[in-house]
Amino acid sequence: AQTVTQSQPEMSVQEAETVTLSCTYDTSENNYYLFWYKQPPSRQMILVIRQEAYKQQNATENRFSVNFQKAAKSFSLKISDSQLGDTAMYFCAFMKRRHPGGSNYKLTFGKGTLLTVNP
Amino acid sequence: NAGVTQTPKFRILKIGQSMTLQCTQDMNHNYMYWYRQDPGMGLKLIYYSVGAGITDKGEVPNGYNVSRSTTEDFPLRLELAAPSQTSVYFCASSLAPALGETQYFGPGTRLLVL
């Protein structure tokens, strides 16, 4: 079974500073996708960034970037120049084919990291 | 753009009551999903659908039923509500997961079973 582990239940950072959220996953697959979702107090799930496992280049979206280490099965999220609006629960998620050769995909979530940005 | 909409936003049920959580998407996505999120946890898949008329169980299907008569709608039915079903329910849809397309989530329905 695929598992996604976020080892930091809570983190805090000062506004304008940089913070890194950790995520590790367990799989025997070679082709898969990884995502970071943000869930603010409104509870809306918002995609932050995605990474294809076959790409060596780390994904970047404005102030958000990832450090994808495929061999180590690690997928950390770096938030630069943290803003108060970044305060949210952050979920790491892993997506792969439900069955070999099939067209259905399964998305598995970690338990989340609560990030608080302090003024 | 409406995206994925869910109704109701919040509901209190008594044990044994039934209800249907509504989910509609206007993006013409074939894939739709129902998740539940318990406090302090990530999302767990209840049911999913790969197109109209096709549904399948996820990780935690017991106590729920779904139907998919149209591309747009994917209602989730609770037949005999139990306290263990107190949770926040999210509906999601995606276009092409094979291409790594993400899932788009609705705003959630908070359900309290007493």
Side-chain angles (χ1 to χ4, degrees):
Chain A
Q2 275 58 235
T3 59
V4 179
T5 302
Q6 294 179 248
S7 59
Q8 306 148 315
E10 295 186 36
M11 293 190 73
S12 62
V13 64
Q14 292 299 121
E15 194 175 7
E17 293 187 347
T18 295
V19 64
T20 299
L21 280 58
S22 301
C23 174
T24 59
Y25 56 94
D26 182 27
T27 185
S28 57
E29 300 286 326
N30 194 44
N31 295 319
Y32 49 87
Y33 301 90
L34 293 160
F35 304 90
W36 278 98
Y37 285 89
K38 168 185 177 180
Q39 187 179 43
S42 67
R43 287 202 302 269
Q44 180 79 46
M45 292 288 284
I46 303 165
L47 177 67
V48 175
I49 200 165
R50 65 189 283 267
Q51 173 81 42
E52 293 93 335
Y54 62 86
K55 287 187 177 179
Q56 292 185 336
Q57 186 174 6
N58 289 325
T60 299
E61 288 287 341
N62 300 313
R63 297 183 294 108
F64 299 88
S65 61
V66 298
N67 183 6
F68 174 47
Q69 301 290 327
K70 191 171 184 179
K73 298 179 184 175
S74 171
F75 183 59
S76 61
L77 174 69
K78 185 172 83 171
I79 306 174
S80 304
D81 186 25
S82 297
Q83 300 176 0
L84 296 178
D86 295 335
T87 292
M89 194 73 147
Y90 286 81
F91 291 96
C92 177
F94 168 93
M95 186 171 79
K96 74 163 192 73
R97 289 182 191 274
R98 192 170 296 273
H99 303 292
S103 59
N104 298 338
Y105 282 71
K106 178 180 178 180
L107 188 63
T108 302
F109 288 85
K111 292 186 178 181
T113 295
L114 178 61
L115 176 67
T116 302
V117 180
N118 299 310
Chain B
N1 292 332
V4 180
T5 57
Q6 292 182 238
T7 56
K9 290 184 179 180
F10 175 63
R11 180 78 180 267
I12 299 175
L13 279 183
K14 293 182 179 179
I15 294 172
Q17 285 186 321
S18 301
M19 78 164 293
T20 298
L21 282 66
Q22 301 292 345
C23 175
T24 300
Q25 54 92 8
D26 63 357
M27 298 175 282
N28 203 33
H29 287 173
N30 280 328
Y31 295 81
M32 295 188 75
Y33 314 83
W34 273 107
Y35 294 90
R36 59 177 287 171
Q37 183 181 27
D38 298 327
M41 303 292 286
L43 279 67
K44 292 188 176 180
L45 184 65
I46 304 171
Y47 270 96
Y48 68 98
S49 170
V50 302
I54 307 171
T55 63
D56 206 348
K57 297 177 181 178
E59 299 174 74
V60 289
N62 291 342
Y64 307 94
N65 276 302
V66 294
S67 59
R68 184 96 182 272
S69 57
T70 66
T71 299
E72 296 78 18
D73 301 308
F74 190 41
L76 178 71
R77 178 84 178 161
L78 282 72
E79 290 294 347
L80 293 170
S84 61
Q85 293 178 305
T86 292
S87 190
V88 179
Y89 292 83
F90 289 95
C91 179
S93 72
S94 65
L95 178 62
L99 300 178
E101 280 280 323
T102 186
Q103 295 179 16
Y104 295 86
F105 286 83
T109 293
R110 185 174 169 226
L111 178 65
L112 183 60
V113 181
L114 300 174

